[in-house]
Amino acid sequence: MTRPVTLPFYAKLAFILVTLICFAFIFCTGKNIITPVLLAFLFAVLLLPIFSFFNKKLKFPRHLAAIVCLIIFLSFIVGILIFISYQVTYMANDFETIKKNANTFIIEIHKFIRENFQVSIGDQKKYLDSVTQDSVKSGQAKLGSFIISVSDVLFDSMIIVVYTFLFLIYKEHFKLFLAKLIKRENHSVLMDILSQIKVSINNYIVSLIIEMIVVSVLTSLGLWIIGIKYFILLGLITGILNLIPYIGITIAGIITILASLTGSGETSVILGILIVNIIVQFIDNNLLVPLIINSKVEINAFVSIMGIIVGGAAAGISGMFLAIPLLAILKIIFDRIESLAPWGYLMGNHVPRKFTWRKRKIATEN
């Protein structure tokens, strides 16, 4: 019988770091292939209770149950897109008003810069004309790449739907594969890991949906109070874009400011929009995220921010969205492997109030 090899701490640390570097290299190299698979995995876990209901309770065949789940999921997404498209079409009727108010707002900005920075309006227009010409030239060069990007997004969306369908129908097949990789005496640990991953991902995605709804309602209420015309549409867009860490709320703010020009180009209205966004973000970051998100995934803020930054650098917006659930999965695995348990604790959000070093007393001979 072979005895397990005991390695010193520095050797274990080296193996862990090398493994993480290899996984990071593989992900960065094949992100265009791996990212849709991971997104489909998250959606499949989210749809798993519905799939089980149709498959086990209503006795639907596996393939039919998966198709029904995807139809429900896609219907929900298409319904939101149709509502947004309808509202945007309705907003397009106010294009002339937007153009007029935009010109008024730009004139106010010109006057503000002239009065506070002593730059004449003529010099400002010359600078804007030069920037506009450069933007047109670069925009023509980027038009082809933009069309390619749109086609890539459509293809990825289709492939994610296919992957989600396959994850649902091959669920038991993947479980058996993992069982074959792990020794039989460790199957109880494997079952615990899989069940906790399912619960964690479901909790995370449901928490995101709750956060999106609350942010949408708060933003819509704030915009309605200050008199913005399309407050429901803009609140919904803000809630959806808020799912993108850091940059989503900025994009939502710009869209809201542009849409506010359908009513008035006054600076006070734009200032009101900024105040509403700041207040909603304060509530989101200090109440919703700690109570709804962090309490479900049990990942501390330091690790979350690092994971989002690394995910964004590796795979853009998709990487930022995948960062938290992947970190939650890693923490679940680390917590249940004795040698990796300290790393799982490092990722967690349990902070001790006080820590005292336990010093061993060395007996001295008299």
Side-chain angles (χ1 to χ4, degrees):
M1 182 177 178
T2 58
R3 297 177 59 185
V5 179
T6 303
L7 297 176
F9 171 75
Y10 63 85
K12 293 180 181 179
L13 180 62
F15 277 119
I16 293 172
L17 292 178
V18 170
T19 302
L20 291 176
I21 291 172
C22 291
F23 275 119
F25 176 77
I26 292 172
F27 181 79
C28 292
T29 304
K31 60 184 178 182
N32 294 330
I33 299 174
I34 298 175
T35 301
V37 174
L38 294 176
L39 288 172
F41 173 73
L42 295 183
F43 294 143
V45 173
L46 177 66
L47 295 174
L48 199 55
I50 303 175
F51 173 80
S52 299
F53 174 77
F54 284 107
N55 182 232
K56 296 179 180 179
K57 298 291 184 181
L58 301 182
K59 305 300 181 181
F60 280 26
R62 185 182 300 270
H63 291 73
L64 180 59
I67 292 173
V68 172
C69 287
L70 289 176
I71 290 175
I72 295 173
F73 180 63
L74 293 176
S75 299
F76 176 75
I77 296 177
V78 170
I80 294 177
L81 293 177
I82 289 175
F83 173 77
I84 294 175
S85 300
Y86 174 78
Q87 292 293 317
V88 170
T89 303
Y90 186 65
M91 188 188 300
N93 296 328
D94 295 328
F95 177 76
E96 292 299 327
T97 305
I98 294 175
K99 184 178 178 181
K100 178 182 177 181
N101 291 330
N103 290 331
T104 303
F105 178 66
I106 291 173
I107 291 172
E108 290 185 6
I109 293 177
H110 282 317
K111 291 179 179 178
F112 176 81
I113 294 174
R114 183 187 63 185
E115 294 173 357
N116 292 274
F117 299 97
Q118 287 75 45
V119 179
S120 66
I121 295 179
D123 292 338
Q124 295 179 42
K125 289 183 177 180
K126 288 180 182 179
Y127 176 75
L128 290 175
D129 290 339
S130 63
V131 172
T132 303
Q133 291 176 0
D134 294 337
S135 300
V136 170
K137 292 179 181 179
S138 60
Q140 291 174 349
K142 294 179 180 179
L143 180 60
S145 61
F146 174 76
I147 295 174
I148 294 175
S149 299
V150 172
S151 62
D152 288 341
V153 170
L154 293 176
F155 176 77
D156 288 342
S157 300
M158 294 175 58
I159 203 68
I160 287 172
V161 173
V162 174
Y163 285 156
T164 304
F165 174 77
L166 295 176
F167 271 123
L168 289 173
I169 64 173
Y170 287 116
K171 175 174 66 76
E172 303 298 332
H173 182 73
F174 292 131
K175 283 185 179 180
L176 182 58
F177 165 71
L178 294 175
K180 289 180 178 293
L181 289 178
I182 306 298
K183 293 182 180 180
R184 187 178 296 273
E185 56 265 26
N186 295 325
H187 279 187
S188 59
V189 178
L190 176 62
M191 290 173 59
D192 184 36
I193 289 174
L194 293 178
S195 63
Q196 288 301 316
I197 288 175
K198 175 185 173 182
V199 171
S200 180
I201 292 177
N202 272 326
N203 287 340
Y204 174 70
I205 297 179
V206 171
S207 300
L208 281 182
I209 295 173
I210 295 174
E211 182 194 16
M212 181 187 72
I213 294 172
V214 174
V215 169
S216 299
V217 171
L218 291 177
T219 306
S220 299
L221 181 62
L223 296 178
W224 173 72
I225 291 173
I226 63 176
I228 301 301
K229 188 174 181 180
Y230 303 98
F231 60 92
I232 296 179
L233 170 65
L234 298 173
L236 179 60
I237 292 175
T238 302
I240 294 174
L241 291 177
N242 191 59
L243 299 178
I244 305 173
Y246 304 125
I247 61 174
I249 191 63
T250 304
I251 298 173
I254 294 173
I255 294 174
T256 304
I257 290 173
L258 293 176
S260 68
L261 298 175
T262 57
S264 173
E266 296 179 1
T267 308
S268 59
V269 175
I270 296 174
L271 182 61
I273 292 171
L274 295 177
I275 293 174
V276 168
N277 282 334
I278 291 172
I279 293 174
V280 171
Q281 278 303 292
F282 178 82
I283 296 173
D284 181 39
N285 294 329
N286 294 278
L287 292 177
L288 299 181
V289 172
L291 293 177
I292 299 177
I293 304 296
N294 292 346
S295 62
K296 299 296 183 183
V297 297
E298 298 182 350
I299 301 293
N300 64 64
F302 179 77
V303 176
S304 298
I305 293 172
M306 284 190 61
I308 290 171
I309 293 174
V310 173
I317 294 175
S318 299
M320 298 172 76
F321 179 77
L322 288 169
I324 302 300
L326 290 180
L327 288 173
I329 291 173
L330 285 177
K331 184 182 183 303
I332 291 170
I333 296 173
F334 289 170
D335 285 341
R336 285 153 182 80
I337 298 177
E338 185 177 355
S339 60
L340 298 176
W343 298 95
Y345 175 80
L346 177 65
M347 298 170 65
N349 58 2
H350 173 70
V351 180
R353 294 183 178 179
K354 185 179 180 181
F355 175 74
T356 303
W357 292 102
R358 295 181 179 179
K359 297 180 180 179
R360 186 177 62 179
K361 294 182 180 180
I362 301 175
T364 58
E365 298 181 0
N366 295 327

